[in-house]
Amino acid sequence: MAERVIPLVDHRSRPLRPAVPAAAAAAAMPATGELYDTRARPLRDLRISVTDRCNFRCSYCMPKEVFDKHYRYLPHSDLLSFEEITRLAQLFMAHGVHKIRLTGGEPLLRKDLELLVEQLAGLRTTEGRMPDLTLTTNGSLLARKARALKAAGLQRVTVSLDSLDDAVFRRMNDVDFPVAEVLAGIEAAQAVGFGTIKVNMVVKRGTNDHEILRMARHFRGTGITLRFIEFMDVGATNGWRMDQVVPSREVIARLQSELPLVPLAPTAVGETAQRWGYAGADGRHDPSLGEVGVIGSVTQAFCGDCNRARLSMEGRLYLCLFATEGWDLRSLLRGDASDAQISAAIAAIWQGRSDRYSELRASLPPDQGEERGRRIEMSYIGG
């Protein structure tokens, strides 16, 4: 069959950097629960993509003209098994990871995902605590999976929802999926007892920014935290333009025109969202009304305290959402490397990390189309 050329640099088939040079691995420190990169940022958050498949075709992530019916997904044998994922997760936790987020693609398309959740929930941090275990989903399968996920040990759920207007939502997911089914998934997650549910809205000017206030009104007082995310230049296929970005400060200004807000302190170092609480009649935050967040990677870079690593579904480690290359951990897993060797590789990779793409964005030249330097697609490593 002739090779099909599409406007996508397929990182799955690119030669990978070996996990780490042997000399660097030998010099890496043993796991102590405190691992820092070149900018003194600790490793705390591991995002694990469990599949490259998704049943939506959102233009900012998996545009249909690229990820069409001819697109070839990875064979199941290439994906890390649940046991391999759990083994790596434990090694990352020994280096200080406290939070594990399951992503995709759409993670609920991975068969029996609740079995992986159960395995991860059985791990313990260096302080002896269960990891903060969460999942990001488009919500399309959440109604049928929520109970099993909660029973398996999943603690929190984040649902991507870009509009309450059914016509707008169907256009944005580009597979004619109704918003009512996503809302039913959110309701199911609340019904089975998920105490923390967040909704993420990617805001694109001229597409769904007119929905900002409507979304806020809908979720205010429900116990669900709504977060507005700036349209980002992730990957190389989403047609990103700066004039389509609605800055986080503008989002807050629109909200405050009707719904008074007060700034809230971050809940943890390295948190991506700036928190704002709905104010009561006394002008102070009213917890019963809840809060919103804004994630301003484009206009308000938070590289300075980023503590996140990303693991692809086939065992490639990436150190930034805007990464152009990854490191091969699967070859170590399937090459009989010991836990100590894999742990040393992870340490050496993180210790060499210097990524700060969002801080440098304005000074970088635009993509020229060469394979070298093209950013990895968001659907491959999660958001």
Side-chain angles (χ1 to χ4, degrees), residues 324-344:
T324 60
E325 61 183 353
W327 283 260
D328 182 11
L329 297 184
R330 189 182 65 185
S331 64
L332 296 180
L333 286 170
R334 298 184 180 179
D336 298 322
S338 68
D339 283 355
Q341 289 171 319
I342 299 173
S343 178

Side-chain angles (χ1 to χ4, degrees), residues 67-376:
F67 298 90
D68 60 13
K69 64 181 181 181
H70 301 292
Y71 183 76
R72 287 173 289 190
Y73 293 101
L74 290 167
H76 188 76
S77 60
D78 282 359
L79 307 184
L80 293 184
S81 68
F82 290 168
E83 291 70 26
E84 289 172 326
I85 291 173
T86 302
R87 181 185 177 193
L88 282 178
Q90 181 65 86
L91 296 175
F92 274 93
M93 288 171 61
H95 283 301
V97 164
H98 296 160
K99 177 181 177 181
I100 296 174
R101 178 179 297 277
L102 299 179
T103 69
E106 169 48 47
L108 296 186
L109 292 177
R110 181 77 183 257
K111 185 178 179 181
D112 298 324
L113 185 68
E114 60 272 18
L115 300 181
L116 173 61
V117 171
E118 185 175 14
Q119 291 180 31
L120 295 174
L123 302 179
R124 292 297 178 266
T125 67
T126 54
E127 297 83 10
R129 298 193 298 269
M130 179 179 168
D132 179 7
L133 191 53
T134 184
L135 173 144
T136 296
T137 173
N138 63 26
S140 61
L141 301 173
L142 187 56
R144 72 186 75 169
K145 299 289 284 187
R147 186 173 299 280
L149 291 167
K150 183 69 168 59
L154 190 70
Q155 296 165 301
R156 300 191 289 114
V157 174
T158 297
V159 180
S160 298
L161 177 63
D162 297 325
S163 178
L164 290 170
D165 184 293
D166 192 58
V168 173
F169 183 71
R170 288 174 188 259
R171 284 197 302 271
M172 292 191 72
N173 67 56
D174 208 14
V175 292
D176 205 33
F177 194 88
V179 70
E181 292 193 33
V182 176
L183 294 174
I186 294 171
E187 292 173 3
Q190 286 185 298
V192 302
F194 280 105
T196 302
I197 301 173
K198 296 179 180 178
V199 169
N200 284 350
M201 176 185 180
V202 174
V203 183
K204 289 182 67 177
R205 192 180 300 279
T207 299
N208 66 337
D209 59 308
H210 62 286
E211 286 277 284
I212 290 172
L213 273 166
R214 181 182 179 186
M215 289 279 286
R217 294 187 207 103
H218 181 86
F219 290 107
R220 182 173 180 261
T222 65
I224 294 171
T225 297
L226 175 62
R227 301 191 300 185
F228 300 94
I229 302 176
E230 291 179 350
F231 176 38
M232 294 182 289
D233 51 334
V234 181
T237 65
N238 70 359
W240 181 85
R241 300 200 319 265
M242 186 64 200
D243 62 2
Q244 292 180 323
V245 176
V246 180
S248 292
R249 61 182 177 275
E250 180 180 332
V251 171
I252 294 300
R254 292 199 200 185
L255 293 175
Q256 288 186 314
S257 69
E258 180 178 317
L259 305 169
L261 298 170
V262 293
L264 302 177
T267 55
V269 175
E271 186 174 40
T272 58
Q274 293 183 349
R275 300 172 59 220
W276 294 79
Y278 290 111
D282 61 0
R284 294 182 294 180
H285 177 218
D286 182 346
S288 69
L289 298 178
E291 64 180 78
V292 294
V294 289
I295 300 176
S297 174
V298 176
T299 65
Q300 299 173 338
F302 40 78
C303 303
D305 58 6
C306 177
N307 54 22
R308 292 171 291 284
R310 290 172 167 83
L311 182 67
S312 79
M313 71 293 302
E314 54 178 340
R316 301 181 179 192
L317 177 61
Y318 295 88
L319 304 182
C320 179
L321 179 59
F322 305 95
T324 60
E325 61 183 353
W327 283 260
D328 182 11
L329 297 184
R330 189 182 65 185
S331 64
L332 296 180
L333 286 170
R334 298 184 180 179
D336 298 322
S338 68
D339 283 355
Q341 289 171 319
I342 299 173
S343 178
I346 292 168
I349 293 167
W350 188 264
Q351 288 171 326
R353 176 183 186 242
S354 60
D355 301 72
R356 58 188 187 105
Y357 173 83
S358 289
E359 290 181 351
L360 299 173
R361 177 186 282 105
S363 63
L364 294 174
D367 289 337
Q368 300 300 312
E370 299 93 344
E371 180 170 337
R372 178 177 173 81
R374 296 287 291 276
R375 293 182 295 276
I376 192 71

